[in-house]
Amino acid sequence: MDTKQLTDDQFPSDVKDLQRLVASLQSQVEQQAHSVLELKNHNDKLESENVDLQLRVDKLLQQLFGRRSERRTDGEGQLFLDLGDEATPEVVSALEEAVREAEQVIEDAEEEQKKRKSKSLIKNDRKFPEHLPRIERIIDLPEDRREGLKLIGYDEVETLEWIRPELRVRVNKYAKYVHPANQNQGITSPERPTGLVQGDRFDTSVGVEVVAWKYFYHLPFYRQQDLFAGSGWTPSRSTLANIETAVEFTLRPLAEHLRSLLKTDTCVGCDDTGVVLITPRTMPDLSNHPRGERISEVFAKAIDSGKPSIRANFWGYYASRLPVVAFDFTVSRHRDGPDDVLGDYEGTLIGDCWSGFQKIGVRSDSRITLAACWAHARRKVDECRSAFPIQVAKLESLIRMLYDIEDQIKELGDAERLARRRSLSSHVLGQIDEYLASDQMSSPKVLPKSNLGQAAAYICRHREALGRFIDDAGIPIDNNDCEQLMKRVATGRKNWLFKGSLSAGERAANLMTIIGTAIRNDLDVHAYLEDVLRRALVGETNWAAMSPHTWRESHPESIREYRQDERRQAADRKRIRRARRRRIKK
């Protein structure tokens, strides 16, 4: 019986028929309820997927079109926090001191700004540096217009000119002598110095230009051809590659020394980025290579599968206190890269919580301790801002407070900085732990599989490593310095696109180690490279004396002071910005 077609006069009068009708209606209601429940579950699933996809879209849009700086600005929902009602007197006193310090920082900044303005008003006719050569040209009136006039002086206008680099060929004539009475003694000639390449065809200055153009200015060889051609010489790309190879071979011991020096620091940052490596047509001879087994495995797999290229890796290492950086090249993102470079290292490694880093303490027999990076944790939280604005605002405010504390104690000695971290930073970390365990961060408000749920799980899972900076004044709160270092690889990669061979990648790592360390020491890269390259070619092996931080002491004229000024001004702006924020909290 179709219950949908029943009218009032069609209802059965028999009790059993009525019971059957009721049972049928009940079954239909249950089926409809089940269908509604299924539709609701499906709708909830679609909404969850929609939120997840929207977060991914927002993240991609931020990566493509958003600002690259990680500076946090105050937006809707952003919180200004104190240190909590349960703060100890020491913590409260520190907060009050921070506000007083903020007032002083702002007052000093305003006074400095007034001084700069007054100086700029006094010195308004800026001239070019005095050491630059000057060619005077007198521009006078025509002779017929000067009649009856008296010359009273000249108005000087300085115009800077650029002259294209000039190439020249130095012809070395080595005298040859023979003994006139006994020609069997052969020819006697002056001893010839070791050249950069066989036959001494290229001076060290050419080698320095090739290397600096590629790894300092990020110019690939085909662009270098145009630059050299503009000066009258058009080298082949293979010639430029041979010159690069000769420079790297000469300075390779210097790169190895810098890597060894880096490992004497108590804390080292590590980060990595990918690069395309062309798959070799045949397996190279790796019998004497220290990583031959792993490289052979990767190459064999790529050759057998017919892959034209593989994803190799550059690794960057940044000493926290020593002015040294280092690079390494591997054919894959395998943990044997850091394990090999840090094989004899004893100290703290700071980086992200990549699986290869998480167990490095076990693999190194506790020689190495991992400290996690708060910048990585903050990024994971920030990606969830559109879906969870209140929770993200709270968490980012707490994380920002950690950075404010670091800003306040930056100039203090190790002992006092460590004491502040153990009191102030430890208190803030406790507040972060409490908030992550609160109802605001629990289901159903934040589901475990949501982006914010996963970000919170990341912080909780790596809480010990994230809090390691509390117990050591030499450990930075994040790995941003090393990440900035890796931008040099990313910028170069956009220009030279790929590495053609294993040896090319290893050469690049050695040259970037030397150039990167010179940049960290604010050196004129050309002047530094040319001096150490000439010294290495004549046989000097005192690599410690040729290290950038030592070399700069005897070459103050090659220090780029404007880079130091730029960093100082950027640091001052950051301190003032944070000081104004602390003053608002008062």
Side-chain angles (χ1 to χ4, degrees):
M1 180 181 296
D2 187 1
T3 57
K4 295 181 181 179
Q5 305 297 327
L6 289 175
T7 60
D8 293 341
D9 57 349
Q10 290 177 320
F11 277 94
S13 58
D14 185 70
V15 175
K16 291 184 179 181
D17 291 340
L18 284 172
Q19 289 177 342
R20 284 193 295 269
L21 178 60
V22 170
S24 176
L25 289 172
Q26 185 177 1
S27 176
Q28 290 183 22
V29 170
E30 290 177 352
Q31 289 178 2
Q32 290 176 356
H34 182 69
S35 298
V36 170
L37 184 60
E38 285 185 339
L39 288 173
K40 184 178 182 303
N41 291 337
H42 183 63
N43 184 60
D44 292 343
K45 183 178 179 182
L46 289 177
E47 287 184 0
S48 177
E49 291 178 354
N50 182 58
V51 170
D52 184 57
L53 289 173
Q54 186 60 48
L55 288 171
R56 293 185 184 183
V57 170
D58 292 343
K59 182 178 178 180
L60 290 173
L61 288 174
Q62 175 65 26
Q63 290 176 346
L64 289 173
F65 307 112
R67 60 180 296 144
R68 295 296 185 265
S69 170
E70 289 193 359
R71 193 180 88 183
R72 295 304 190 268
T73 56
D74 301 325
E76 184 179 355
Q78 185 66 56
L79 306 179
F80 291 112
L81 302 181
D82 57 26
L83 291 174
D85 297 332
E86 299 178 358
T88 63
E90 180 184 2
V91 174
V92 173
S93 174
L95 178 60
E96 294 172 350
E97 179 185 345
V99 174
R100 289 194 299 269
E101 180 191 350
E103 295 283 358
Q104 187 63 44
V105 168
I106 295 171
E107 183 180 338
D108 294 344
E110 291 173 350
E111 185 67 26
E112 183 65 26
Q113 189 175 13
K114 291 179 182 177
K115 291 180 181 178
R116 284 200 300 267
K117 285 183 178 179
S118 62
K119 288 182 180 179
S120 63
L121 291 174
I122 295 173
K123 188 178 180 181
N124 53 8
D125 79 339
R126 298 176 57 190
K127 291 190 175 183
F128 295 111
E130 294 295 332
H131 66 270
L132 294 178
R134 282 165 168 76
I135 301 175
E136 290 189 355
R137 186 177 63 163
I138 296 178
I139 303 174
D140 208 339
L141 291 172
E143 188 174 350
D144 58 342
R145 292 183 57 189
R146 283 182 282 170
E147 292 183 5
L149 300 178
K150 179 181 178 181
L151 180 66
I152 61 173
Y154 296 93
D155 285 334
E156 290 189 1
V157 177
E158 291 192 344
T159 304
L160 187 66
E161 296 181 350
W162 168 265
I163 301 174
R164 177 172 281 179
E166 179 185 11
L167 288 173
R168 64 184 183 187
V169 178
R170 185 181 69 242
V171 181
N172 297 316
K173 294 185 176 181
Y174 293 92
K176 299 188 295 183
Y177 294 91
V178 295
H179 198 284
N182 185 4
Q183 296 187 1
N184 293 330
Q185 293 184 8
I187 298 175
T188 303
S189 184
E191 184 178 353
R192 304 190 182 190
T194 302
L196 183 61
V197 298
Q198 188 175 8
D200 197 19
R201 286 180 49 79
F202 302 106
D203 185 61
T204 54
S205 58
V206 177
V208 166
E209 287 299 316
V210 170
V211 169
W213 279 351
K214 187 169 184 180
Y215 297 108
F216 183 47
Y217 299 113
H218 311 295
L219 298 178
F221 287 152
Y222 76 89
R223 293 182 189 169
Q224 293 190 28
Q225 285 180 303
D226 293 334
L227 289 171
F228 279 119
S231 298
W233 174 57
T234 308
S236 65
R237 298 180 195 180
S238 61
T239 296
L240 296 176
N242 290 337
I243 293 173
E244 177 193 321
T245 301
V247 173
E248 185 273 335
F249 177 79
T250 305
L251 296 181
R252 188 180 303 166
L254 176 58
E256 293 172 351
H257 170 76
L258 292 175
R259 288 195 191 94
S260 300
L261 180 62
L262 176 135
K263 289 184 286 186
T264 62
D265 204 327
T266 57
C267 182
V268 171
C270 182
D271 197 16
D272 70 291
T273 187
V275 63
V276 175
L277 173 64
I278 303 301
T279 303
R281 295 181 180 179
T282 58
M283 184 66 68
D285 181 14
L286 300 169
S287 55
N288 295 323
H289 200 288
R291 301 173 182 168
E293 184 177 351
R294 176 64 181 168
I295 297 172
S296 298
E297 178 185 337
V298 174
F299 279 173
K301 184 177 180 180
I303 293 172
D304 292 343
S305 60
K307 293 177 62 176
S309 63
I310 59 177
R311 181 180 173 83
N313 248 48
F314 274 109
W315 302 83
Y317 298 87
Y318 191 95
S320 294
R321 297 195 170 185
L322 295 175
V324 183
V325 304
F327 288 88
D328 186 38
F329 179 80
T330 59
V331 297
S332 66
R333 194 183 189 225
H334 194 263
R335 69 189 188 195
D336 61 356
D339 284 1
D340 181 47
V341 171
L342 303 175
D344 55 350
Y345 177 65
E346 185 173 351
T348 301
L349 175 69
I350 182 168
D352 57 25
C353 293
W354 170 57
S355 58
F357 288 155
Q358 291 181 36
K359 299 297 182 182
I360 197 168
V362 176
R363 297 196 304 274
S364 65
D365 296 328
S366 300
R367 285 184 295 101
I368 301 175
T369 303
L370 175 65
C373 168
W374 267 105
H376 280 84
R378 183 175 57 186
R379 282 184 213 127
K380 292 181 179 294
V381 172
D382 190 63
E383 291 169 1
C384 314
R385 178 179 291 276
S386 60
F388 304 93
I390 300 301
Q391 291 91 332
V392 169
K394 177 81 172 184
L395 280 172
E396 286 202 337
S397 296
L398 287 167
I399 295 173
R400 187 176 62 185
M401 189 172 290
L402 288 176
Y403 278 85
D404 281 345
I405 294 170
E406 290 299 307
D407 183 57
Q408 297 169 41
I409 66 177
K410 187 176 182 179
E411 303 300 328
L412 301 179
D414 284 357
E416 192 171 354
R417 185 162 64 250
L418 183 59
R420 293 289 188 93
R421 280 182 171 182
R422 286 178 172 171
S423 59
L424 303 182
S425 301
S426 181
H427 183 83
V428 177
L429 287 176
Q431 287 187 307
I432 293 176
D433 294 338
E434 290 177 9
Y435 188 71
L436 290 175
S438 67
D439 293 340
Q440 288 291 326
M441 292 294 296
S442 302
S443 182
K445 292 184 178 179
V446 178
L447 297 176
K449 290 188 177 180
S450 66
N451 278 22
L452 184 57
Q454 294 179 24
Y458 176 91
I459 296 176
C460 294
R461 188 165 59 250
H462 304 296
R463 175 62 178 80
E464 182 180 359
L466 285 168
R468 199 145 276 150
F469 75 101
I470 295 294
D471 299 318
D472 189 339
I475 299 177
I477 192 173
D478 58 35
N479 196 33
N480 281 349
D481 288 333
C482 191
E483 291 189 10
Q484 292 290 329
L485 174 68
M486 299 308 293
K487 287 185 177 180
R488 301 199 62 80
V489 181
T491 304
R493 183 180 55 207
K494 289 181 180 179
N495 291 277
W496 37 255
L497 301 179
F498 61 86
K499 284 300 173 186
S501 65
L502 171 66
S503 57
E506 293 175 341
R507 283 198 302 271
N510 286 332
L511 291 171
M512 285 192 295
T513 296
I514 298 169
I515 293 175
T517 304
I519 293 171
R520 184 173 178 182
N521 285 272
D522 300 316
L523 295 181
D524 178 344
V525 172
H526 287 75
Y528 170 70
L529 285 178
E530 184 154 7
D531 183 66
V532 297
L533 186 57
R534 289 186 184 279
R535 290 162 65 177
L537 285 173
V538 298
E540 186 172 340
T541 58
N542 187 359
W543 305 113
M546 288 189 279
S547 298
H549 63 286
T550 305
W551 187 88
R552 62 173 283 164
E553 295 177 2
S554 55
H555 297 80
E557 73 284 355
S558 295
I559 298 176
R560 297 305 197 199
E561 295 182 358
Y562 58 86
R563 293 299 184 201
Q564 298 174 344
D565 293 339
E566 286 174 354
R567 284 199 303 275
R568 186 161 47 247
Q569 292 170 11
D572 288 344
R573 288 194 296 270
K574 183 184 292 185
R575 288 182 68 244
I576 294 168
R577 186 171 66 249
R578 290 176 172 172
R580 285 180 175 144
R581 186 170 64 236
R582 288 198 295 273
R583 184 174 64 174
I584 292 173
K585 292 181 184 181
K586 184 173 63 172

